[in-house]
């Protein structure tokens, strides 16, 4: 642990010993401060994850109990249309919902940062408020709003003399779910982006204005680059969130079982496999594969964004 | 970070900015320019965020009959809020108040615990170069991306094996782990605690722990509040973990309890009386966090940004 300390600190034997003493003390403190987290992390993160990997390599049979089956569960998953359908659905969800959500968040953040909106403090608060609403309550509420007999959306359509769409129908439920997730997270993302904008020093804008840059120019050349780290964070969180989609479809399942199905998202599928079908091993493999997909997509996106940054 | 694009911009400027209007505007006027168009557009989007909540508040004042017959954003024939609250808190022997208490306990214990662990670890990672610190930080970063399901299922099975499922520990213990909290605290501590202060304290002969306790903790307070808030929302809103871990309704948090009532209500039959109870319950359950956010505005506005600004 202290092996490399003497090498670095040659000058005089006395200071070397003294510094090494301090250094060793610091190292000890650092480890003592990190240890509690690491212990809890190991117990409730690493161990379950390793256990999950272990489980996924077994198959339970009616006769003979748990049998080691190697990667059979994974091959099964890769040939399982239910798994692929769910994955495709969340990928589509990600590709449509995330751009809409982030575009709205960026637009509102830029608008509020421009200080041209009246009552912008109140606006910030009101748009952020849905973040404090649990997704269970949000889904429950929107579920009622979507209801085709008495829901507010239907009432509004009728009020202007139009036929109301059935937002809980099989073809529309994915879009309805996107709307719920947008409602929940635009405000949160907006605050993160807004804060990133506020951290740009004002004299940068002044310098640009003196150079003759217009507001759009400033937005494009100063504000958007300043948003990059915050955008990366929100994008990574959106990727993780989309692939993990569970609460919303699980609750919508109650009111529209035909439109959702038990394999609507990979997460929902894994849950139903484990807790309805008692297929723990297979569920573990599905969850693991999903984890791989999330990590790969996150890394690829991170790589693309960072490369763009280097080029810029 | 933002300087290079600007200087490049300046180099290219003559081509684009001959028609720019920016020069006419004096920097001093920045605060005074209000745009009506932008104000209207932004306030229209506010409607989208507020109407569902408005609907929830109004609906909790209606009885079941009015819920289905009256317009969503207007009040019903009679004001039933107090009747609804009455039935909400007496339904199934008043289990709803029990759920509220459970949620508060899970959220407070979980978030304070997670923040304590994250603060110590994040501070150590930011302020000490010790062998293994890079490895620890990389593990923390990587684990942010691990999906909850990959974790929840084996955690459930492990807890079941040790007889911990269907206890409060099953919800609290896993929520103590917050890799994102460690990441936030590392980012925050790197900035908030100046190395020269640490050096000065060391020269004065203070031990590392004393420095942490008496000096660093004070400087870290806004960051700690951020992590507490972040985890508080996460645990308060948590649904998946308690859903799989708990069987006894007496241990449910509000989210799991409400979801169960809602599914009973949707199952149809005579259970439809539950609708107004569920809606009133939903309304009551979102009040605590909203009030907390209102009072802690200063903190969350600067706090939620920490991770994003420094990335």
């Amino acid at each position: 642990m202290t092996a490399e300390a003497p090498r670095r600190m040659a000058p005089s034997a006395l200071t070397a010993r003294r510094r090494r003493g301090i250094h060793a003390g610091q190292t000890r403190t650092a480890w003592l401060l990190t240890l509690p987290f690491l212990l809890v992390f190991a117990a409730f993160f690493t161990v379950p994850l390793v256990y999950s990997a272990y489980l996924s390599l077994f198959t339970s049979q009616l006769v003979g109990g748990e049998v080691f089956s190697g990667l059979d569960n994974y091959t099964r998953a890769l040939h399982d249309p239910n798994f692929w359908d769910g994955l495709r659905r969340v990928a589509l969800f990600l590709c449509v919902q995330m751009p809409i959500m982030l575009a709205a968040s960026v637009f509102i953040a830029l608008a509020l940062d421009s200080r041209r909106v009246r009552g912008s403090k109140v606006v910030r608060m009101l748009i952020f408020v849905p973040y404090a609403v649990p997704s269970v309550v949000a889904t429950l509420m929107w579920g009622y709003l979507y209801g085709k007999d008495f829901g507010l959306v239907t009432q509004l359509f009728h009020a202007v003399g139009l036929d109301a769409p059935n937002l809980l129908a099989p073809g529309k439920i994915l879009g309805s779910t996107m709307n719920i997730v947008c409602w929940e997270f635009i405000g949160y993302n907006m605050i993160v982006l807004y804060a990133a904008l506020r951290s740009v020093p004002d004299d940068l804008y002044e310098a640009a204005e003196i150079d003759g840059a217009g507001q759009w120019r400033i937005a494009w050349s100063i504000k958007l680059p300043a948003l990059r780290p915050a955008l990366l964070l929100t994008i990574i969180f959106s990727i993780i969130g989309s692939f993990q989609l569970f609460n919303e479809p699980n609750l919508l399942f109650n009111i529209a079982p035909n439109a959702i199905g038990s394999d609507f998202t990979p997460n929902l599928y894994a849950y139903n496999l484990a807790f309805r079908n008692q297929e723990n091993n297979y569920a573990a493999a599905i969850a693991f594969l999903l984890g791989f997909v999330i990590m790969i997509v996150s890394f690829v996106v991170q790589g693309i964004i960072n490369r763009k940054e280097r080029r810029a | 970070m933002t300087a290079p694009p600007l200087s490049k911009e300046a180099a290219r400027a003559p081509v684009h900015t001959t028609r720019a209007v920016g020069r006419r505007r004096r920097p001093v006027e920045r605060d005074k320019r209000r745009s009506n168009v932008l104000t209207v557009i932004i306030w229209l989007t506010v409607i989208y965020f507020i109407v569902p909540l408005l609907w929830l508040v109004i609906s909790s004042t209606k009885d079941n009959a009015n819920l289905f017959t009256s317009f969503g954003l207007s009040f019903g024939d009679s004001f039933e809020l107090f009747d609804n609250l009455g039935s909400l808190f007496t339904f199934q022997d008043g289990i709803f108040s029990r759920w509220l208490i459970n949620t508060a306990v899970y959220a407070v214990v979980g978030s304070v615990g997670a923040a304590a662990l994250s603060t110590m670890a994040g501070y150590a990672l930011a302020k000490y170069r010790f062998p293994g610190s890079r490895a620890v930080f990389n593990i923390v970063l990587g684990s942010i991306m691990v999906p909850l399901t990959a974790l929840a299922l084996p955690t459930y099975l492990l807890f079941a094996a040790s007889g911990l499922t269907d206890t409060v520990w099953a919800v609290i213990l896993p929520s103590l782990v917050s890799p994102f909290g460690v990441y936030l605290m590392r980012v925050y501590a790197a900035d908030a605690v100046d190395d020269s202060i640490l050096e000065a304290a060391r020269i004065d002969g203070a031990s590392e722990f004393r420095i942490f306790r008496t000096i660093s903790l004070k400087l870290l307070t806004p960051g700690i509040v951020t992590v507490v808030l972040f985890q508080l929302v996460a645990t308060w809103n948590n649904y998946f973990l308690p859903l799989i871990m708990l069987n006894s309704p007496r241990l449910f948090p509000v989210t799991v309890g409400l979801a169960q009532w809602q599914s009973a209500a949707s199952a149809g039959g005579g259970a439809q009386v539950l609708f107004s109870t569920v809606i009133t319950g939903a309304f009551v359950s979102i009040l605590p966090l909203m009030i907390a956010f209102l009072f802690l505005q200063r903190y969350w506005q600067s706090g939620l940004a920490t991770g994003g600004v420094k990335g």
Side-chain angles (χ1 to χ4, degrees):
Chain A
M1 208 162 71
T2 46
E4 57 177 331
R7 230 187 304 140
R8 252 192 272 135
M9 300 166 181
S12 91
L14 186 78
T15 41
R17 203 181 309 137
R18 237 193 64 195
R19 275 210 238 158
R20 202 192 315 162
I22 291 170
H23 191 81
Q26 289 183 13
T27 305
R28 201 173 52 239
T29 311
W31 275 111
L32 283 175
L33 286 173
T34 322
L35 213 59
F37 170 78
L38 284 180
L39 286 178
V40 178
F41 182 81
F44 304 112
F45 200 97
T46 319
V47 172
L49 216 55
V50 171
Y51 184 54
S52 174
Y54 170 81
L55 273 180
S56 69
L57 301 175
F58 287 80
T59 309
S60 66
Q61 295 175 331
L62 283 177
V63 187
E66 301 258 299
V67 179
F68 181 79
S69 56
L71 296 176
D72 279 5
N73 283 321
Y74 292 94
T75 5
R76 182 181 160 196
L78 291 176
H79 292 100
D80 185 344
N82 294 334
F83 175 65
W84 283 110
D85 282 352
L87 211 55
R88 255 195 298 276
R89 218 167 274 129
V90 286
L92 177 67
F93 184 95
L94 181 73
C95 293
V96 177
Q97 189 267 343
M98 185 173 76
I100 296 175
M101 173 176 71
L102 291 185
S105 306
V106 169
F107 173 74
I108 299 170
L110 284 174
L112 294 182
D113 183 64
S114 76
R115 302 182 204 175
R116 293 171 155 217
V117 176
R118 288 194 186 84
S120 64
K121 257 186 131 167
V122 185
V123 169
R124 218 155 62 213
M125 186 72 204
L126 291 179
I127 293 181
F128 178 72
V129 142
Y131 173 67
V133 176
S135 60
V136 166
V137 174
T139 311
L140 201 144
M141 206 165 65
W142 278 101
Y144 286 127
L145 294 174
Y146 290 152
K148 67 172 182 291
D149 299 325
F150 59 89
L152 182 65
V153 178
T154 308
Q155 290 174 344
L156 289 175
F157 268 92
H158 287 171
V160 290
L162 288 171
D163 269 345
N166 179 8
L167 295 168
L168 297 170
K172 301 217 173 60
I173 197 105
L174 191 66
S176 307
T177 315
M178 288 178 190
N179 173 54
I180 300 177
V181 176
C182 276
W183 185 81
E184 290 174 292
F185 289 106
I186 285 177
Y188 169 76
N189 290 321
M190 180 270 289
I191 291 288
V192 171
L193 296 167
Y194 174 78
L197 286 176
R198 301 308 297 164
S199 74
V200 178
D202 263 354
D203 39 347
L204 213 55
Y205 297 135
E206 282 163 25
E209 287 188 357
I210 288 165
D211 280 351
Q215 287 305 311
W216 289 109
R217 194 75 214 171
I218 289 176
W220 185 255
S221 303
I222 301 179
K223 295 189 174 179
L224 282 184
L227 281 179
R228 202 169 274 140
L231 263 179
L232 181 64
L233 186 88
T234 53
I235 287 174
I236 296 289
F237 273 16
S238 305
I239 293 171
I240 300 173
S242 301
F243 278 107
Q244 291 199 46
L245 215 56
F246 175 84
N247 297 0
E248 292 83 2
N250 188 45
L251 271 127
L252 287 176
F253 182 78
N254 288 336
I255 47 174
N258 299 326
I260 291 274
S262 63
D263 57 352
F264 194 70
T265 69
N267 222 347
L268 195 63
Y269 187 43
Y271 168 79
N272 283 319
L273 281 173
F275 293 94
R276 297 235 166 109
N277 306 0
Q278 311 296 331
E279 288 193 76
N280 288 334
N281 306 90
Y282 188 42
I286 295 263
F288 236 79
L289 272 180
L290 180 64
F292 268 123
V293 173
I294 295 178
M295 292 226 305
I296 290 167
V297 174
S298 302
F299 278 126
V300 168
V301 168
Q302 218 169 338
I304 292 172
I305 292 174
N306 285 337
R307 203 173 58 210
K308 267 194 192 148
E309 183 169 22
R310 268 199 302 277
R311 225 188 287 140
Chain B
M1 191 178 64
T2 43
L6 179 68
S7 51
K8 233 179 266 167
E9 167 61 21
R12 266 187 275 126
V15 188
H16 297 283
T17 48
T18 38
R19 59 192 158 81
V21 286
R23 198 181 292 272
R24 270 185 279 125
R25 295 173 180 152
R26 308 245 38 96
V28 205
E29 291 166 23
R30 295 199 60 196
D31 281 352
K32 291 178 193 155
R33 294 181 318 234
R34 292 278 195 253
S35 158
N36 287 330
V37 182
L38 207 56
T39 300
V40 169
I41 294 175
I42 291 296
W43 277 93
L44 282 177
T45 62
V46 169
I47 293 176
Y48 166 71
F49 294 98
I50 286 314
V51 158
L53 294 170
L54 217 56
W55 174 89
L56 189 68
V57 176
I58 291 170
S59 296
S60 63
T61 68
K62 295 178 186 174
D63 59 14
N64 269 299
N66 270 305
L67 209 53
F68 295 102
T69 51
S70 64
F71 180 66
L73 293 177
S74 60
F75 287 94
D77 304 330
S78 53
F79 190 79
E80 304 286 342
L81 177 63
F82 297 106
D83 278 7
N84 285 340
L85 285 174
S87 44
L88 172 68
F89 282 100
T90 53
F91 187 61
Q92 291 181 350
D93 296 328
I95 200 160
F96 186 78
S97 42
R98 175 82 197 214
W99 291 345
L100 280 175
I101 295 168
N102 290 345
T103 308
V105 170
Y106 298 153
V108 169
V109 176
S111 59
V112 171
L117 296 173
S118 307
T119 304
M120 292 195 291
Y123 171 76
L125 289 174
K127 288 295 148 193
Y128 297 110
R129 287 282 140 264
F130 58 103
S133 61
R134 276 189 73 92
V136 171
F137 186 60
N138 285 333
I139 291 170
V140 166
L141 268 189
S143 57
I144 292 175
M145 275 176 230
V146 173
L148 260 150
T149 3
L151 214 58
L153 181 66
T155 311
Y156 166 78
L157 294 169
L158 280 175
F159 275 43
S162 43
L164 280 172
T165 44
D166 211 24
T167 66
V168 291
W169 300 112
V171 181
I172 290 177
L173 289 178
S175 61
L176 292 178
V177 186
S178 170
F180 188 64
V182 176
Y183 166 77
L184 276 184
M185 280 317 292
R186 202 206 91 115
V187 170
Y188 194 86
D191 255 18
V193 184
D194 200 3
D195 281 330
S196 58
I197 300 177
L198 298 184
E199 278 310 321
R202 274 172 200 146
I203 289 165
D204 285 350
S207 75
E208 296 297 324
F209 270 113
R210 204 185 134 91
I211 296 173
F212 175 65
R213 230 185 32 244
T214 56
I215 301 172
S216 306
L217 270 186
K218 261 192 211 103
L219 297 170
L220 291 175
T221 307
I224 298 173
V225 175
T226 303
V227 177
V228 170
L229 269 180
F230 204 84
Q231 279 297 108
L232 193 74
V233 177
T235 3
W236 190 281
N237 296 351
N238 202 346
Y239 171 66
F240 191 62
L241 188 73
L243 174 73
I244 62 176
M245 288 290 185
L246 305 173
N247 281 318
S248 338
R250 292 199 67 74
L251 294 177
F252 284 175
V254 173
T255 48
V256 178
L258 274 179
Q260 211 185 52
W261 278 0
Q262 193 251 0
S263 93
S266 312
Q272 292 229 334
V273 236
L274 258 179
F275 275 127
S276 60
T277 311
V278 172
I279 287 172
T280 314
F283 168 55
V284 171
S285 76
I286 61 175
L287 287 179
L289 268 196
M290 293 211 175
I291 293 168
F293 270 113
L294 214 62
F295 280 105
L296 294 170
Q297 262 200 76
R298 202 156 47 90
Y299 285 109
W300 61 256
Q301 300 222 357
S302 63
L304 286 174
T306 315
V309 176
K310 310 281 162 48

